[in-house]
Amino acid sequence: MTWLVWRQHRQQALFGVTSLALLAAFFLLTGAHMHSVLDSSGLARCLARHGNCGDIQSGFEQRFSVWRGIQPVFLVIPLLVGLFWGAPLIARELEQGTHRLVWTQGVGRLRWLSAKLGFVLGATLLLAGAYAALATWWLAPLMTSTGDRFQPGIFDEQGLVPGAYAFFAVALGVAAGAIVRRTLPAMAVTLVGFLTMRVAVGGFGRSHFVAPVKVAAPPTPSTDLNHMGGWLLSRQTVDGAGHRTSIENAYLSCNAHVHAPVQTVVRCIHRMGFVNTDVFQPANRFWLFQGIETALYGGVALALLALAVYWVDRRVS
Amino acid sequence: MSAILQATALGKRYGDEWALRDCSFELPAGRVAALVGPNGAGKTTLLHLAVGLLAPTSGHIELFGSPPRQDRAVLERVGFVAQDTPLYHGFKVEEMLTLGRRLNRRWDGRWAEDRLRGLGIPLGKRVGALSGGQRAQVALALALAKRPELLLLDEPVASLDPLARREFLQALMDAVAETGISVVLSSHLIADLERVCDFLVLLIASEVRLSGDIEELVAAHKVLIGPRRSTIGIPGVEAVVQASHAERQTTLLARTSEPVYDPAWTVQDVDLEELVLAYMGQPALSARPMPAGPAEANG
Amino acid sequence: MIEFHLDTRSGVAPYLQIARQVQQALRMGTLQADDQLPTVREVVGKLAINPNTVLKAYRELEREGLVAGRPGQGTFVVGTPAGPPPGAYTRLRGGLVRWLRDAHAAGLDDESIVAFVTTTLRDSAEESAA
């Protein structure tokens, strides 16, 4: 069975490994450069001291803005694995009737299925794991520079979740293929299902994984309004009369723009009763959220795989 | 002779639709059986039940006395060629043989290789580059290399041109002569199988309408031509399969239990094709018992 | 060795066709004592027919005492069917060819010759029965 699975899928495997190797070469070359610039420019040390790194930082950002621009490409990679490894895995066999050939040899359908699933899921975890580690390392300098790794869309490109997305995409493709029985429609279902899940979790579910932190304080210059490395969910600023305003308005009202002494501005803001309320997920929850999201996708993936196994066992002839 | 394949009240339902209903027959060992019926009559369903691809909704089917769905070991003794002879088109012919070797405990690869070489099929060629006839031959060799005792083929010649069809049946009959294997072939045309089969299972509208030794069936059916009159109670006639009436003359295709001596009837032999067509022409369910008055049909 | 052929349109059972072809060959002298008949596999591979059909034909010939199976070797001719000796056909054929020439000269075409032969055969059969 191992021979058959390898013979059938070696081209896909080879394509996957080659793509990963090319990506790795790209990551290592450009990533090493970013890491070294982060150190040599002094940005890393400056940020570590929580200093005002304006010029060094904008220099760094300007230099690597192209790399920041290609980040969205990373979001697509797990989906591709689901489309090209997951969806055809069973659908192509059912489409061409070759499952009947194999099932009527000396091999039961469940052994056949577990060999195929073992191969493709193992390969997915291996390659997606390697990819996620590389991507995380590569993104680190950019994340250090702006501290936005918890932001939606950026959170999704690093850590554990790329592997979980790929695993989910493959499971979705496999289940869709078993039920739909044709490769192209299975790919379409995978595409739609994957995007739906990603939008639902990323856009609505994730912010509720753990109750966010709520902090209400006068928005003085010494208050932490950046939540460096955290995820700001909402911000509301009100004046002394309880009317909604913004931090910029508060500063304008207190003449902060004309270089008034900080003490004066702070006193002014307190006196006028400005209060800023931030709702956010703090930076130290990053790995907790990675874990929760990974478990969520992993769980759904396992349910889809169970469905695929049930379907192949009971509903396919 | 012991039954190699036995169906008892076998049924398979998809949703509300019965693909096969109350199907009972026995296939003795050492026969080449034709499973004949119009498209959609349930031939594929029956074969899939036989090789355990499907589980019966009702009744049961046994190969060598074991249900194939529960007892996978029995499948080692069965070769199956599914409709459209599915093969991996990206594989070379020799890789298909490797597949067979790796997936089966009993395997005679050299025999299969010799056989394919003898047919002039290059082992190094990709399956996708072969002709339809060659692909069917590869599928047949693959099924036979298991050294099965029973071979089931689902419409093996339907998509082949006449020459490839003949070559396929030659190869199949050669294997039968060599190994004495029992065979079931399905087809919607009896003409394809007339020469090679000695047993018939006729499946019409999800039911087995007729089964048995072809020679006995042919011998038992006669065409009776006589003056127009009632067809009830003709001595020797067991059942009227088909009746047509002209103004003064009645023609019957009937199953007889003994010779018809009534001088009013001219008795003629039938051939297999006529026989099958007569049964296929019957309206479902209504046919078996006789009452067919002169007013019933006009031909 | 002889080769068999089948006429599927004839309505004659295939095993009978094979048996008759052997009988015919014996009468014509193309098969003689100790000649081997094609093996079942050879016939089957050629005609794409059920091996049981060939076996049945050979059994029928065996029953008539014309052939015998030798274990491990095949089926061999052991006798000739009752009927005129082989030479008789050659002699009769010569006469028939002369008659055919006469018939053609008299204006009969092939179809009317066949019809003529058939009716004459039937008439003479009825006469001898009567």
Side-chain angles (χ1 to χ4, degrees):
Chain A
M1 205 53 231
T2 324
W3 175 85
L4 174 62
V5 172
W6 168 245
R7 172 60 191 85
Q8 271 188 284
H9 301 296
R10 64 184 182 193
Q11 250 175 325
Q12 286 162 290
L14 207 65
F15 187 77
V17 170
T18 314
S19 311
L20 180 67
L22 291 174
L23 265 176
F26 165 78
F27 277 147
L28 290 175
L29 286 173
T30 55
H33 186 217
M34 279 196 287
H35 275 275
S36 80
V37 171
L38 182 70
D39 284 338
S40 63
S41 66
L43 181 59
R45 257 168 296 133
C46 167
L47 288 167
R49 288 199 313 269
H50 285 283
N52 183 358
C53 312
D55 283 348
I56 319 177
Q57 192 188 10
S58 57
F60 183 86
E61 282 299 312
Q62 214 166 353
R63 193 160 181 180
F64 295 115
S65 63
V66 180
W67 294 155
R68 220 178 251 291
I70 65 158
Q71 267 175 250
V73 174
F74 297 2
L75 295 173
V76 183
I77 287 173
L79 173 62
L80 295 181
V81 183
L83 289 179
F84 294 103
W85 280 10
L89 189 75
I90 292 172
R92 183 156 299 150
E93 303 257 8
L94 301 187
E95 203 165 51
Q96 299 179 347
T98 42
H99 63 295
R100 295 195 187 113
L101 174 73
V102 177
W103 294 356
T104 48
Q105 308 294 320
V107 170
R109 56 177 84 188
L110 289 182
R111 232 190 91 203
W112 171 84
L113 189 59
S114 50
K116 281 176 92 76
L117 286 179
F119 180 78
V120 77
L121 293 174
T124 301
L125 285 179
L126 211 67
L127 295 191
Y131 159 78
L134 276 166
T136 307
W137 174 80
W138 186 84
L139 283 165
L142 296 171
M143 300 299 102
T144 313
S145 163
T146 45
D148 58 357
R149 68 174 182 168
F150 216 142
Q151 295 307 310
I154 298 172
F155 176 89
D156 317 46
E157 296 165 357
Q158 52 192 318
L160 302 172
V161 294
Y165 297 158
F167 189 75
F168 163 73
V170 168
L172 178 61
V174 166
I179 294 166
V180 181
R181 301 182 189 205
R182 304 194 73 81
T183 307
L184 279 177
M187 289 170 89
V189 171
T190 307
L191 177 73
V192 172
F194 183 82
L195 294 180
T196 308
M197 177 83 173
R198 290 279 284 109
V199 167
V201 174
F204 306 102
R206 188 187 297 153
S207 53
H208 303 297
F209 283 172
V210 177
V213 174
K214 190 171 180 178
V215 173
T220 63
S222 57
T223 313
D224 177 15
L225 294 171
N226 282 331
H227 310 297
M228 196 67 168
W231 178 17
L232 184 63
L233 298 173
S234 74
R235 162 164 290 173
Q236 205 172 15
T237 312
V238 291
D239 60 19
H243 296 299
R244 290 187 68 160
T245 178
S246 68
I247 294 177
E248 288 71 31
N249 278 337
Y251 280 29
L252 281 172
S253 312
C254 291
N255 291 323
H257 60 294
V258 291
H259 298 292
V262 174
Q263 304 298 341
T264 321
V265 175
V266 170
R267 271 201 302 276
C268 165
I269 283 175
H270 277 285
R271 191 183 63 241
M272 294 184 71
F274 286 112
V275 174
N276 177 57
T277 308
D278 279 356
V279 178
F280 68 102
Q281 299 287 0
N284 61 9
R285 288 183 182 174
F286 178 80
W287 285 107
L288 174 66
F289 272 52
Q290 283 272 334
I292 293 173
E293 184 139 339
T294 300
L296 177 63
Y297 274 87
V300 175
L302 290 178
L304 285 167
L305 289 174
L307 175 66
V309 171
Y310 167 82
W311 209 271
V312 167
D313 189 37
R314 296 294 168 77
R315 308 294 291 267
V316 177
S317 70
Chain B
M1 264 187 285
S2 60
I4 202 163
L5 188 159
Q6 182 167 30
T8 316
L10 182 67
K12 177 69 193 176
R13 196 183 55 210
Y14 295 105
D16 289 341
E17 200 96 347
W18 286 92
L20 200 66
R21 187 163 36 186
D22 197 23
C23 160
S24 297
F25 68 93
E26 275 184 24
L27 180 69
R31 309 302 292 264
V32 180
L35 176 60
V36 175
N39 288 325
K43 302 187 293 293
T44 296
T45 301
L46 178 55
L47 290 175
H48 284 184
L49 287 163
V51 293
L53 285 172
L54 285 174
T57 311
S58 64
H60 34 106
I61 185 162
E62 288 177 352
L63 302 177
F64 312 102
S66 295
R69 185 84 176 176
Q70 282 83 32
D71 180 11
R72 284 202 55 81
V74 84
L75 289 181
E76 290 178 11
R77 303 162 70 184
V78 179
F80 177 59
V81 178
Q83 200 161 8
D84 304 323
T85 55
L87 296 170
Y88 292 109
H89 285 208
F91 284 30
K92 290 176 183 165
V93 174
E94 59 201 5
E95 287 173 322
M96 286 307 308
L97 295 180
T98 308
L99 177 152
R101 174 165 59 79
R102 294 199 172 247
L103 298 190
N104 290 289
R105 251 189 286 175
R106 189 161 51 169
W107 184 256
D108 193 343
R110 169 155 317 154
W111 181 86
E113 280 176 25
D114 289 346
R115 193 180 176 80
L116 292 174
R117 271 200 210 98
L119 290 162
I121 296 173
L123 298 180
K125 208 165 175 182
R126 271 185 355 102
V127 169
L130 298 175
S131 71
Q134 288 176 319
R135 271 204 289 276
Q137 295 280 13
V138 172
L140 178 63
L142 208 58
L144 286 171
K146 283 172 80 171
R147 291 297 187 186
E149 292 155 62
L150 171 64
L151 181 64
L152 303 164
L153 304 117
D154 195 358
E155 296 266 7
V157 296
S159 58
L160 302 182
D161 62 64
L163 181 63
R165 189 174 293 202
R166 188 178 172 96
E167 282 170 353
F168 183 89
L169 292 177
Q170 279 172 338
L172 178 65
M173 287 303 108
D174 182 63
V176 172
E178 187 188 346
T179 63
I181 187 175
S182 308
V183 180
V184 178
L185 290 141
S186 78
S187 176
H188 58 282
L189 295 171
I190 184 64
D192 285 344
L193 308 181
E194 199 168 359
R195 281 176 163 209
V196 303
C197 294
D198 51 24
F199 197 91
L200 175 72
V201 177
L202 184 59
L203 207 54
I204 297 170
S206 314
E207 294 177 5
V208 172
R209 193 58 57 78
L210 191 63
S211 80
D213 180 271
I214 287 180
E215 245 170 59
E216 286 170 16
L217 290 175
V218 168
H221 287 80
K222 300 286 177 198
V223 169
L224 307 181
I225 304 166
R228 177 161 186 161
R229 60 174 174 141
S230 165
T231 60
I232 302 172
I234 304 167
V237 169
E238 201 175 76
V240 173
V241 179
Q242 200 182 40
S244 64
H245 304 279
E247 202 177 324
R248 301 219 185 115
Q249 182 181 288
T250 293
T251 306
L252 306 175
L253 196 149
R255 183 180 188 126
T256 59
S257 51
E258 52 193 87
V260 176
Y261 291 120
D262 186 341
W265 297 99
T266 310
V267 181
Q268 290 177 354
D269 291 335
V270 292
D271 66 21
L272 182 59
E273 193 166 359
E274 274 178 277
L275 174 62
V276 166
L277 288 175
Y279 274 91
M280 284 189 183
Q282 272 187 342
L285 285 168
S286 70
R288 264 159 290 192
M290 277 175 293
E296 183 226 40
N298 289 298
Chain C
M1 188 80 83
I2 63 164
E3 268 188 15
F4 298 117
H5 46 89
L6 283 187
D7 180 0
T8 35
R9 299 272 132 239
S10 72
V12 180
Y15 88 92
L16 270 182
Q17 292 190 41
I18 290 175
R20 280 180 194 172
Q21 282 168 38
V22 172
Q23 290 160 348
Q24 186 76 2
L26 286 167
R27 276 193 214 103
M28 301 299 288
T30 39
L31 270 182
Q32 288 167 356
D34 281 335
D35 281 352
Q36 190 181 359
L37 294 185
T39 64
V40 173
R41 271 191 82 182
E42 282 165 348
V43 180
V44 155
K46 191 117 198 127
L47 298 180
I49 56 167
N50 190 312
N52 292 333
T53 308
V54 187
L55 285 171
K56 192 167 178 188
Y58 284 11
R59 269 202 305 277
E60 180 71 22
L61 292 164
E62 225 166 299
R63 208 177 48 76
E64 290 170 16
L66 300 177
V67 303
R70 293 183 199 159
Q73 293 183 54
T75 309
F76 291 81
V77 176
V78 292
T80 44
Y89 281 96
T90 326
R91 190 169 47 75
L92 288 169
R93 191 169 187 278
L96 185 56
V97 168
R98 275 194 300 282
W99 182 86
L100 280 175
R101 231 177 269 136
D102 281 356
H104 280 136
L108 272 74
D109 60 7
D110 287 356
E111 234 170 85
S112 25
I113 290 174
V114 171
F116 182 61
V117 170
T118 314
T119 47
T120 314
L121 264 179
R122 198 191 310 136
D123 290 351
S124 83
E126 274 166 18
E127 269 169 39
S128 54

